[in-house]
Amino acid sequence: MSVEETPKSSNFIRDIIDADLASGKHSEIVTRFPPEPNGYLHVGHAKSICLNFGLARDYNGRCHLRFDDTNPTKEEQEYIDAIKEDVKWLGFDWGKHEYYASNYFEQLFDWAILLINEGKAYVDDQTADEIRSNRGTLTEPGKNSPCRNRSVEENLDLFMRMKNGEFKNGERVLRAKIDMTAPNMNMRDPVLYRILHAEHPRTGAKWCIYPMYDFTHGQSDAIEHISHSICTLEFQDHRPLYDWFIENIPVPAKPHQYEFARLNLTYTVMSKRKLLRLVQEKKVSGWNDPRMPTISGMRRRGYPASALREFCDRIGVAKANSTVEFALLENCVRDELNRNALRFMAVLRPLKLVITNYPADHVEVFDADNNPEDPTAGTRKVAFTRELYIESEDFMENPPKKYFRLSPGAEVRLKHAYYVTCRNVVKDAAGNVSEIHCEYDPESRGGASPDGRRVKGTLHWVSASLGRKAEIRIYNHLFNQENPDKVEEGEDFIDRISPDSLEVLSDSVVEPALADAALGAPLQFLRMGYFCKDPDSTGDNLVFNRTVSLKDGWAKVQKNQPD
Ligand code: ATP
Ligand code: MG
């Protein structure tokens, strides 16, 4: 089934929305994508973006982009800018609905005061360690803080002094007074505010106390009249707390939270904390290293936005966690590129081929189709000369049976050009093949059979004198294990980085037309895979990334098994 024909898959959230619209509970669908600006977005976020923006699009509603920026020590403007760029690139538009939880700091502070006034929040002097150890465990109840029964007046006074900067980081917190024996740990007097003497990217030095994420998230949804607050499963246990806030605070709306399973992919890690380590420890070249599962890495690698959207649609939205095969993502990328990528010839590992019966200074120009899948893509000119490069793996001196490429005495077709027969092999001092000498059949011009005689192999090639040198970067899985996250005691996921994750070919040769390829435009190098020009290209220095191989590597392995 082609991408266009794929129906937008239904899911349990769409069912809920349909029911809410039918019952009149909601008349307008408002969703939001709420990133914390503490890293670049990854493909898991793409799932959430496609879900939230997709619902808004399909139900004629709207989707907000809201930065949940409650932790100034980890958040940066760079991340805000990158997140906006990635969401736009994925094809979604939040219009004027760009919001920041930090815009609600004043309101959240007032609500904290209100909770204190109602005896539902108190200032705790315990240290973080004491709070942690008095919180109890899943099997044991927590212990009440000695500060739990402070008077409203004292709490108000202390909280104001926290706000006014009288205390150091960690000296006091504001907590909700709920129930230290609640089976759900999130309900055991959760912290609402902490002291952080840190400048915030948006509010500057205005605050030295910051609301906790949990005290911010649900209320922000309420302020924005989000009709369906959609988040990942790990927040399921937080829902009773969010509901408690919504019940105990005079919020303007009461959004309901729905949880779905987060995306996990084989051979990769997907937590921003781990991705940040890869960047900080220089295991990759940056957040947009093409091996990263980040949206910016995938963009740089040449994954089309439409392929990511298609992938998110194919994996669907469920309530049970699972891990998706990386190969599925690659197949979405291939399907898309097969339809859109312009075809070119590039020789990754060159071997010189000399056509001894071809005039030395002659240049012949052939027409080559740009995309056999798309007749409107037109043709381009490729120049043919006496000396060419072919792929070194396309020649074998002592070939096994059924090797249909070039070997002594064998005849092959050079794509778009001529039939050639290998007559001689030149070796260097070390005994390695350095040149192949061939004769061409002038009657086979354009690659047509001269007399009905057939050849089985068709090779790509690049003119040695007119081709351009290029660096080609081949990417493999960043990790050498399917589940790099699953570590035993004493192991570190970072040690599972595959030494083969990046292979740099610096002697490649490409068709001259590729010098003008636009950055990121989808290209197919015949027989070698899909590629795109990398932003590291400068002037004469051409760099291409391999986006994905032509065929599924695993399928190929299976096909080559003896029958
Ligand atoms: P991470 O765990 O990778 O650090 P996060 O949950 O801290 O991610 P946020 O910026 O809080 O990152 O995420 C923004 C939104 O994206 C949230 O609604 C979150 O539930 C969703 N999200 C994050 N990771 C995934 C994932 N792997 N699959 C689907 N949705 C995700
Ligand atoms: Mg989060």
Side-chain angles (χ1 to χ4, degrees), residues 88-105:
K88 268 193 217 145
W89 176 78
L90 263 183
F92 298 105
D93 183 6
W94 55 91
K96 56 185 193 313
H97 300 289
E98 177 177 331
Y99 302 110
Y100 294 82
S102 54
N103 291 351
Y104 314 137
F105 280 175

Side-chain angles (χ1 to χ4, degrees), residues 109-129:
F109 179 78
D110 291 345
W111 282 337
I113 298 277
L114 180 135
L115 288 178
I116 295 174
N117 273 319
E118 296 194 342
K120 293 173 183 166
Y122 62 97
V123 171
D124 196 350
D125 306 346
Q126 292 182 106
T127 64
D129 281 343

Side-chain angles (χ1 to χ4, degrees), residues 265-268 291 293 298 301 303 311 324-331 477:
L265 264 185
T266 54
Y267 298 105
T268 192
R291 292 165 294 173
M298 291 184 173
R301 181 155 171 178
Y303 285 17
F311 171 69
V324 174
E325 297 282 338
F326 200 91
L328 178 64
L329 174 58
E330 292 192 317
N331 274 333
H477 291 309

Side-chain angles (χ1 to χ4, degrees), residues 2 48 83 89 133 141 163 267 289 305 346 358 418 428 468 485:
S2 81
S48 176
I83 289 170
W89 176 78
S133 63
K163 182 193 182 220
Y267 298 105
D289 186 301
Y358 195 86
Y418 287 109
D428 62 17
R468 300 285 299 267
D485 269 331

Side-chain angles (χ1 to χ4, degrees), residues 34-36 38 45 68 213 232 234-235 262 272:
E36 289 173 71
N38 57 0
H45 294 115
D68 272 340
Y213 180 87
T232 35
E234 67 272 23
F235 292 103
R262 61 194 292 125
K272 277 186 281 187

Side-chain angles (χ1 to χ4, degrees), residues 353 390 394-396 403 405-407 410 412 420 422 436 438 459:
L353 183 151
I390 61 165
D394 282 340
F395 175 81
M396 274 183 97
Y403 184 80
R405 306 179 211 176
L406 212 49
S407 58
V412 298
V420 294
C422 174
I436 320 247
C438 291
L459 311 187

Side-chain angles (χ1 to χ4, degrees), residues 31-42:
T31 57
R32 83 289 179 262
F33 173 64
E36 289 173 71
N38 57 0
Y40 281 55
L41 298 181
H42 52 59

